[in-house]
Amino acid sequence: MNSYFARTGEHRFQPSELTGGAWATDEQHIAPMTGLITHEVDRLVEARGGDGLATARISMDILGVLKLEEFELTVEVVRPGRTIELLEAVVVARGRPAVRARVWRMAGADTSAVAGGLPEPLPDPATLPAYEMSDVWPGGYITSIETRPAGEVRPGRGAVWVGSSATLVRDEPASPLAEWVKLVDTANGIVVRESPKEWMFPNLDLTIHLYRQPSGSWTGLDTTVTFGPDGHGLTSTALHDVHGPVGRAEQILTVRPL
């Protein structure tokens, strides 16, 4: 199927082969899962009648691997409120939590008169040629995406547009935010500092901060990868949609030789 997940119950999902990871092809890439968590947050909000809040932060901790097997995803309200609200999503696989995510939602206001400090927008992805990430990474997720460099890409530094024609959940419409978010975790693999055939550098978390709600079919990743001297690293990304910058993402890495 041309979707990352299929719903098998109210809170249960079956991942497709398109979620196959880059470090291990029989494990899920965390990128589609980020979109699915956002989708389930949206469904909870819609079920209670909606509100005027927008998702401003998604913070995920990856507690263990997710095989290409059925799992459960639940969302609950941790801190209710009319101007700010905190929700928590938990992904359970094989009877154990594999991902915990907290989502801050915030009320909006017209601050266009004082908006500033934004990075420069990336070139239009429609004007850029594609390149194959499958030359660097294996896995069903990598084969499901299209990548277009927005300028020079060198080890540990570069900007790349990422898109995918695969929908998030089979036979379910998802919000523009959920469809856009499902590609953000790709950041840790787009400008590799060292060959993944010689070094491992998986991320243990993903934190997304948004100062504007993204939309469109392309996720822009202006990324810097840093390796420290003690086995730790950091992938830092300015996030874009086709209209300009929207926020930032950070991923802490565990770096070790194969």
Side-chain angles (χ1 to χ4, degrees):
M1 65 182 182
N2 194 36
S3 301
Y4 291 109
F5 303 99
R7 189 181 296 275
T8 57
E10 179 62 21
H11 303 294
R12 298 193 67 81
F13 298 87
Q14 175 66 43
S16 77
E17 292 185 355
L18 297 183
T19 65
W23 293 110
T25 57
D26 64 341
E27 299 172 1
Q28 291 184 52
H29 198 291
I30 206 66
M33 181 62 72
T34 316
L36 184 63
I37 287 170
T38 306
H39 178 58
E40 289 301 278
V41 167
D42 291 342
R43 288 183 71 247
L44 181 149
V45 173
E46 182 179 358
R48 69 189 187 193
D51 54 38
L53 308 185
T55 294
R57 193 203 70 175
I58 304 166
S59 181
M60 299 174 54
D61 290 312
I62 305 164
L63 308 179
V65 300
L66 283 158
K67 294 291 188 178
L68 301 187
E69 300 172 354
E70 191 177 39
F71 60 89
E72 181 180 68
L73 196 173
T74 57
V75 181
E76 66 175 12
V77 177
V78 176
R79 192 276 193 197
R82 291 181 295 176
T83 58
I84 58 171
E85 176 184 54
L86 180 64
L87 297 95
E88 183 176 62
V90 181
V91 179
V92 175
R94 299 189 175 189
R96 301 178 63 181
V99 178
R100 287 188 181 272
R102 287 200 161 192
V103 178
W104 274 110
R105 304 180 66 247
M106 301 167 57
D110 183 3
T111 54
S112 56
V114 293
L118 308 178
E120 291 295 318
L122 299 179
D124 184 348
T127 66
L128 303 172
Y131 86 111
E132 293 295 331
M133 282 188 68
S134 58
D135 294 341
V136 180
W137 297 102
Y141 173 72
I142 295 301
T143 64
S144 77
I145 63 175
E146 180 181 353
T147 50
R148 299 187 179 186
E152 179 188 5
V153 174
R154 60 184 188 272
R157 184 71 187 97
V160 177
W161 289 102
V162 184
S164 174
S165 62
T167 60
L168 193 56
V169 183
R170 184 176 64 188
D171 300 328
E172 289 188 26
S175 69
L177 175 61
E179 292 287 1
W180 182 90
V181 162
K182 74 185 182 188
L183 300 168
V184 171
D185 187 74
T186 318
N188 191 38
I190 59 167
V191 290
V192 295
R193 175 165 289 281
E194 297 290 341
S195 169
K197 295 181 175 66
E198 299 177 4
W199 288 86
M200 293 190 70
F201 41 93
N203 53 300
L204 306 182
D205 72 344
L206 169 64
T207 301
I208 300 169
H209 288 94
L210 298 172
Y211 44 74
R212 178 172 66 78
Q213 293 296 287
S215 62
S217 57
W218 291 94
T219 301
L221 307 170
D222 189 356
T223 297
T224 300
V225 179
T226 304
F227 288 175
D230 301 312
H232 308 147
L234 182 68
T235 295
S236 301
T237 303
L239 300 171
H240 297 250
D241 69 3
V242 292
H243 306 293
V246 299
R248 291 198 62 85
E250 303 288 335
Q251 299 160 285
I252 195 67
L253 316 177
T254 172
V255 182
R256 54 191 186 272
L258 285 174

